[in-house]
Amino acid sequence: MVGGFYDLQGQLGQLIARSFLKGLAGLILFFLLIGALVSRSVRMTTTMVACLLGIPLFTLGMMGHLNMPMDIIASPAANISIALGIDFMIHLMTRVRRFRMQGDTPWHAWVKARLDILQPILSSMVIIAAGFGIFCLSSFPPTQRFGTAVVLGTTMVALISIVILPFGATAEFGKKEGLS
């Protein structure tokens, strides 16, 4: 009778953490396969996966910084952000490959691809952030945390896709071409 509720709460927390890590690992492994198929380059796939890993690290880090507990409702927020990041990166990479096949240098292919996909990425980010941002207005704290985490993650996904991934992918090429 003493501490029974706390024991159950602790067990639930362990189940949430295990489920979260298992789901996150599954998404990353799935993206590793898709990234390899799309990029056809070990270096690009590694860069894409590294950028993708930054999304849950940022989202969970911001939740920790804001003292927001990770509960059963808020935990899927990072997975939503990762799914959006996968979509953005796949579209970006296919455009880069298309421009590379047209003869562009790696740097110019990334510049063109970023300009080509900037508006769709930002539009998707705003729509999804606004849609899930409505949860921030809820009077139920776990739902507020879920909405906040999705908005934070979605914003970070756009930044990673548009800025960090292209610069990470072209860092070596920029040095060779005198663009760094």
Side-chain angles (χ1 to χ4, degrees):
M1 295 224 134
V2 176
F5 175 73
Y6 296 109
D7 181 49
L8 290 175
Q9 192 174 14
Q11 288 178 21
L12 180 62
Q14 289 174 349
L15 289 172
I16 290 170
R18 192 174 315 125
S19 173
F20 176 75
L21 291 174
K22 187 187 244 183
L24 197 59
L27 276 172
I28 299 296
L29 288 174
F30 180 65
F31 182 67
L32 183 65
L33 175 69
I34 291 173
L37 290 172
V38 171
S39 70
R40 297 182 185 151
S41 163
V42 173
R43 184 169 189 269
M44 290 298 146
T45 302
T46 305
T47 304
M48 290 167 63
V49 170
C51 286
L52 196 66
L53 287 172
I55 297 165
L57 291 176
F58 173 79
T59 305
L60 298 175
M62 284 305 296
M63 288 180 73
H65 180 71
L66 298 172
N67 293 324
M68 295 168 48
M70 179 61 69
D71 55 20
I72 197 165
I73 295 174
S75 62
N79 291 345
I80 291 170
S81 300
I82 286 178
L84 189 62
I86 290 170
D87 184 53
F88 289 171
M89 290 181 196
I90 287 171
H91 287 290
L92 189 61
M93 186 56 65
T94 55
R95 281 173 173 78
V96 167
R97 284 191 53 230
R98 184 179 66 208
F99 290 129
R100 289 284 293 139
M101 287 194 291
Q102 291 174 356
D104 288 325
T105 64
W107 175 254
H108 291 99
W110 278 99
V111 169
K112 283 177 150 179
R114 283 176 34 189
L115 290 174
D116 195 29
I117 201 164
L118 179 65
Q119 191 270 332
I121 285 178
L122 292 178
S123 296
S124 298
M125 179 204 69
V126 168
I127 291 167
I128 290 172
F132 283 100
I134 291 173
F135 290 129
C136 296
L137 304 174
S138 172
S139 60
F140 187 55
T143 305
Q144 290 173 342
R145 290 190 290 267
F146 173 71
T148 303
V150 172
V151 169
L152 289 171
T154 303
T155 305
M156 188 60 176
V157 165
L159 177 68
I160 285 174
S161 299
I162 294 170
V163 178
I164 297 172
L165 177 63
F167 283 102
T170 59
E172 182 179 318
F173 298 117
K175 290 177 188 171
K176 287 181 182 176
E177 296 178 16
L179 297 172
S180 58

